[in-house]
Amino acid sequence: MAAHPGARGTARPATTHPHPATAGQPTVLTGATVVLPTGTVENGRLIIDGTRITATAPENAQIIDVTGHYLLPGFIDIHNHGGGGASFTSGSAEDILKGIHTHRLHGTTTLVASTVTGDMDFLAQRAGLLSELAEQGEIAGIHFEGPFISPCRKGAHSEALLRDPDPAEVRKLIDAARGRAKMVTLATELPGGTDSVRLLAEHGVIAAIGHTDATYEQTVEAIDAGATVATHLFNAMPPLGHRSPGPIAALLEDDRITVELINDGTHLHPAALQLAFHRAGADRVAFITDAMDAAGFGDGRYWLGPLEVEVADGVARLLADGTIAGSTLTLDRAFKRAVTVDGLSVEDAVTALSATPARLLGMDDRIGSLEPGKDADLVLLDADYELKGVMRRGEWVVGPQLH
């Protein structure tokens, strides 16, 4: 969701709490409950050497006792529009880095930057800027949400800027991203939708079905053409019907589809989340934030392109009609809610926040789990699932705060 520079909010200082350990020194974290792909290990340990997790500890390794805490792989957000008062669609490179850092402070060690509907030339220009940040390793890629979406399910997108998914225009955005396009959200029932899905699949870009008014049959056709993601399932699409099941049934029943869920307590009723988990399973669920500028920043007035947004009590809505306009969610809150409110196991929540999105992005050889050889991306939580430390590529972003 795109807020213009000058968005008004209550600033919350983004602070880090560096550990006094020697920078770059090998580290062994001991005593934690460690969530591994093979299961949860009590009183476990994790060894970090340089930027990677390793199997053996060098003799000069420092020991940090994190007994009573959970060690999880770093969170991965595949759908995020900004944070810290900064927009990934309209901010400068410095603004974008501020937004990325805001989410890192909340455990998101890998992030795909999402844009919103805009003029094609403007989006192509933004793709160039974002691709530079991807090349620098700051983001994992670019997600284009709009303009190829349905006016019937536009959400907080400007209707005047929407267009049908012409494959030539979709290709223009892919080319502008210089190989860094990860995902495009489409209303695949629109003219050119199915052909655009095929084009994306041929270029190794995820075709996501979202902001759609498609029927069940049209959704099945798009999946068969190569679509593999449901953009924030349940939101911005027809509700599940017993005679006209619409896209939700098609997306939930097909094992080729990964469903995004915004677990903030506003976008989804807990029963809807449970339905998705029971039908799809954690291996097909990716928790996302769909965050806009106010995430980690505060309540106030913001702009989504030409649309003004009021953020009150952490909920973002269009000022004109009250439509939900993205979220102010961070993934540490999504994790805690999943375990404490939704009743998910810690292991399933970790899968939805790390392993599934890593696999979807084709990056599970490097991130998404705590295994030797992978990047030292981790989150440290206390027994109440409150964030107490974040490490990215072997460097502490936050903490560890052990007292």
Side-chain angles (χ1 to χ4, degrees):
M1 300 299 150
H4 286 182
R8 304 184 297 280
T10 303
R12 298 174 184 172
T15 58
T16 58
H17 305 272
H19 193 267
T22 304
Q25 184 179 358
T27 300
V28 181
L29 302 173
T30 65
T33 299
V34 186
V35 182
L36 302 172
T38 53
T40 299
V41 177
E42 303 289 341
N43 193 28
R45 71 174 191 164
L46 194 71
I47 305 166
I48 298 101
D49 191 358
T51 64
R52 300 293 180 93
I53 298 168
T54 62
T56 57
E59 291 184 1
N60 65 332
Q62 59 177 325
I63 309 297
I64 301 178
D65 187 350
V66 291
T67 300
H69 292 72
Y70 288 90
L71 274 177
L72 317 177
F75 302 143
I76 301 169
D77 195 353
I78 63 171
H79 187 156
N80 187 316
H81 298 276
S87 165
F88 297 153
T89 299
S90 60
S92 65
E94 183 178 359
D95 292 332
I96 295 167
L97 289 171
K98 178 183 177 182
I100 293 166
H101 184 66
T102 296
H103 285 282
R104 286 180 186 166
L105 293 174
H106 293 275
T108 298
T109 52
T110 301
L111 179 151
V112 174
S114 303
T115 64
V116 293
T117 294
D119 175 84
M120 286 294 296
D121 289 338
F122 175 75
L123 288 175
Q125 180 270 326
R126 297 303 298 180
L129 174 61
L130 291 169
S131 67
E132 292 178 9
L133 293 173
E135 289 159 5
Q136 296 165 15
E138 298 292 347
I139 60 175
I142 307 166
H143 164 218
F144 297 99
E145 187 181 21
F148 311 116
I149 61 176
S150 172
C152 302
R153 305 287 174 176
K154 64 183 183 299
H157 292 251
S158 173
E159 185 169 356
L161 295 171
L162 301 183
R163 58 183 64 218
D164 291 339
D166 180 345
E169 294 198 321
V170 173
R171 177 64 185 268
K172 178 179 178 179
L173 292 186
I174 296 174
D175 290 345
R178 303 200 301 262
R180 300 296 178 170
K182 284 291 185 180
M183 182 162 63
V184 178
T185 294
L186 307 162
T188 53
E189 76 278 7
L190 295 176
T194 302
D195 287 340
S196 292
V197 169
R198 294 192 182 100
L199 172 73
L200 291 168
E202 289 169 1
H203 286 80
V205 179
I206 297 165
I209 300 172
H211 287 276
T212 177
D213 204 41
T215 64
Y216 173 89
E217 291 77 15
Q218 289 170 327
T219 306
V220 169
E221 181 182 2
I223 296 169
D224 287 341
T228 55
V229 165
T231 293
H232 43 55
L233 186 73
F234 298 108
N235 291 278
M237 59 183 62
L240 183 65
H242 64 292
R243 292 194 182 95
S244 298
I248 293 172
L251 294 164
L252 278 178
E253 73 181 10
D254 199 304
D255 289 344
R256 294 171 289 182
I257 294 292
T258 299
V259 298
E260 296 181 347
L261 297 177
I262 309 171
N263 193 23
D264 62 353
T266 298
H267 282 78
L268 293 176
H269 189 282
L273 183 139
Q274 288 289 345
L275 173 64
F277 258 90
H278 288 161
R279 183 59 188 89
D283 289 339
R284 288 181 48 218
V285 171
F287 279 138
I288 61 164
T289 62
D290 194 19
M292 47 82 74
D293 311 34
F297 195 65
D299 291 351
R301 295 279 181 90
Y302 298 81
W303 288 96
L304 303 182
L307 308 178
E308 193 167 10
V309 173
E310 176 79 38
V311 180
D313 297 324
V315 179
R317 295 183 182 274
L318 291 183
L319 198 62
D321 61 10
T323 298
I324 295 175
S327 87
T328 63
L329 185 64
T330 52
L331 285 183
D332 57 336
R333 287 168 44 211
F335 177 90
K336 182 172 182 176
R337 181 178 176 85
V339 176
T340 63
V341 176
D342 302 311
L344 299 182
S345 68
V346 168
E347 292 82 1
D348 278 353
V350 166
T351 298
L353 281 162
S354 302
T356 297
R359 186 176 62 253
L360 183 70
L361 294 175
M363 300 175 68
D364 52 330
D365 60 330
R366 287 182 40 217
I367 58 174
S369 60
L370 300 178
E371 297 178 88
K374 293 194 176 183
D375 288 353
D377 293 352
L378 62 87
V379 175
L380 184 70
L381 304 178
D382 66 15
D384 296 320
Y385 309 111
E386 292 292 333
L387 187 142
K388 295 298 178 181
V390 180
M391 178 180 283
R392 181 174 186 269
R393 297 180 185 173
E395 295 186 4
W396 289 107
V397 180
V398 176
Q401 304 167 49
L402 303 177
H403 304 289

